[in-house]
Amino acid sequence: MSILDSDKIVTRLRAAFNHGNSRQQLLALATHLIHDAGPPYTSVYVYMLRGDELVLEAFSGRETEHTRIAVGRGVCGTAVATGDDQNVGDVRAVQNYIACNVFTRSELVVLIRRGSHILGQIDIDSDVSDPFTTDEERAVRQIADALAVLL
């Protein structure tokens, strides 16, 4: 069973879209709704792909100085470079990890894609080691897929 109620989050995102919310408002809403699920969701970031870098467009939780990340750098950049979601149970074991803060222990990155085209990603940090199950990944994937249609 997933901690996230992805059906409820997708319903809220669709309602916001139908009420004319802007792209920026939809991204902010997505980060807040995921973060509001509580632990293990310490911080939630949405980065959108602009050329060869990811640009932070919305977040909920801890601020980060990493507002731009080059494709291929860190967990976020690796997700785009490989085209694969990343579920890192212990970020301290990742050689090219870019630390947002000293408390983060794990990270889940789910790509937002339309077909084979990568639009961006949902990046979730947790202060807990290895909290993201396959159910959690599926729930975040459902949200990312909804964003791909709504953006």
Side-chain angles (χ1 to χ4, degrees):
M1 183 72 169
S2 176
I3 293 171
L4 279 181
D5 186 345
S6 54
D7 290 334
K8 182 177 178 181
I9 292 173
V10 168
T11 298
R12 294 269 315 269
L13 289 170
R14 288 179 180 151
F17 176 83
N18 289 334
H19 283 94
N21 281 216
S22 70
R23 177 179 181 277
Q24 183 60 39
Q25 289 170 318
L26 290 172
L27 295 176
L29 179 60
T31 64
H32 290 295
L33 292 173
I34 295 169
H35 183 254
D36 286 350
Y41 301 94
T42 304
S43 298
V44 181
Y45 309 94
V46 173
Y47 289 91
M48 299 306 286
L49 188 59
R50 302 280 178 253
D52 289 337
E53 67 181 358
L54 291 157
V55 178
L56 180 65
E57 293 200 20
F59 77 94
S60 185
R62 294 187 182 117
E63 290 187 25
T64 180
E65 64 185 45
H66 303 290
T67 59
R68 295 181 175 275
I69 301 172
V71 170
R73 286 201 63 226
V75 176
C76 291
T78 297
V80 174
T82 63
D84 295 321
D85 297 340
Q86 304 288 306
N87 185 345
V88 179
D90 183 357
V91 295
R92 296 169 292 185
V94 176
Q95 188 170 4
N96 72 345
Y97 178 65
I98 301 170
C100 287
N101 65 75
V102 297
F103 304 108
T104 299
R105 290 294 169 257
S106 58
E107 188 168 2
L108 175 63
V109 176
V110 175
L111 296 170
I112 301 168
R113 58 172 95 221
R114 194 175 291 142
S116 62
H117 181 72
I118 296 172
L119 303 175
Q121 63 189 216
I122 300 171
D123 171 27
I124 303 170
D125 288 0
S126 179
D127 293 352
V128 178
S129 294
D130 204 24
F132 302 116
T133 65
T134 55
D135 286 340
E136 293 301 313
E137 286 184 66
R138 262 192 298 276
V140 177
R141 158 71 36 228
Q142 184 180 354
I143 298 164
D145 289 348
L147 284 173
V149 172
L150 299 174
L151 299 179

